[in-house]
Amino acid sequence: MILSNLKNRAWLETLHPLMPKLFEFLEQTAVRSLPAGIHEIVGRDLYINNQFPAELFTKENAPIEVHRKYMDVQILLQGRETMGWKPLEEIEAWRGEYDEQKDVRFADEPCEHYVTIKAGELTVFFPEDGHAPLIGVDDVPLVKIIAKLRVE
């Protein structure tokens, strides 16, 4: 997991060959007005999954999720959000099997660590990072972009 902010663009672009394309897209697109759904930037190798407004969770009911094929870049544009983290190899209470189509598997157990981010900050979750996003902090609506970058 990486916690950073948009000011670190130059360094963040070294994480993945398509990361510069993501930042170009964010600069050239009115992302707040994108309709819900998937917006391909470089086919299915780099896309945005816009699911907002989204249901918020508490720490107690936020499921851990993991992905095999993609890394998540979660960029907060408005509000504050808490996210949980737990190493993949320590997750034991799985809920169902891995869904290959959706590239996700969920778990029902508490995270090891939590971090709260604010507008302009982002997290990068790799396949080895169990994460529980969308934990509500206050009454300000969350506006965020979730980018998926293929790693497999």
Side-chain angles (χ1 to χ4, degrees):
M1 175 192 163
I2 294 174
L3 170 64
S4 190
N5 65 50
L6 293 170
K7 295 176 185 172
N8 291 321
R9 175 181 175 169
W11 181 85
L12 291 164
E13 287 183 347
T14 67
L15 293 175
H16 190 284
L18 292 176
M19 194 72 87
K21 292 279 187 196
L22 171 60
F23 283 105
E24 288 171 20
F25 177 83
L26 294 174
E27 283 179 345
Q28 299 168 3
T29 307
V31 292
R32 287 178 185 242
S33 51
L34 287 174
I38 292 175
H39 303 274
E40 293 183 354
I41 301 169
V42 182
R44 295 301 277 192
D45 290 335
L46 168 59
Y47 67 93
I48 287 177
N49 189 0
N50 186 10
Q51 300 175 328
F52 295 93
E55 174 188 354
L56 298 179
F57 300 99
T58 64
K59 285 182 181 178
E60 294 75 30
N61 72 358
I64 295 175
E65 60 183 66
V66 296
H67 311 288
R68 292 181 185 169
K69 299 177 185 176
Y70 292 90
M71 59 189 257
D72 274 7
V73 179
Q74 300 195 16
I75 303 168
L76 193 61
L77 303 175
Q78 175 183 298
R80 293 185 315 142
E81 176 185 13
T82 296
M83 298 180 192
W85 177 84
K86 187 169 189 172
L88 172 65
E89 65 272 7
E90 293 180 15
I91 298 173
E92 297 176 359
W94 293 106
R95 181 196 316 162
E97 297 298 316
Y98 170 71
D99 184 331
E100 180 134 2
Q101 282 295 103
K102 295 181 180 179
D103 185 42
V104 69
R105 188 173 189 194
F106 293 101
D108 289 318
E109 60 186 66
C111 285
E112 292 280 319
H113 305 280
Y114 293 90
V115 62
T116 299
I117 67 171
K118 62 183 188 271
E121 296 178 335
L122 60 92
T123 54
V124 179
F125 294 109
F126 298 94
E128 64 268 14
D129 296 319
H131 54 287
L134 297 173
I135 298 171
V137 175
D138 48 36
D139 292 336
V140 176
L142 289 182
V143 178
K144 70 186 272 189
I145 294 294
I146 300 174
K148 301 285 199 170
L149 290 93
R150 185 181 299 275
V151 294
E152 177 183 89

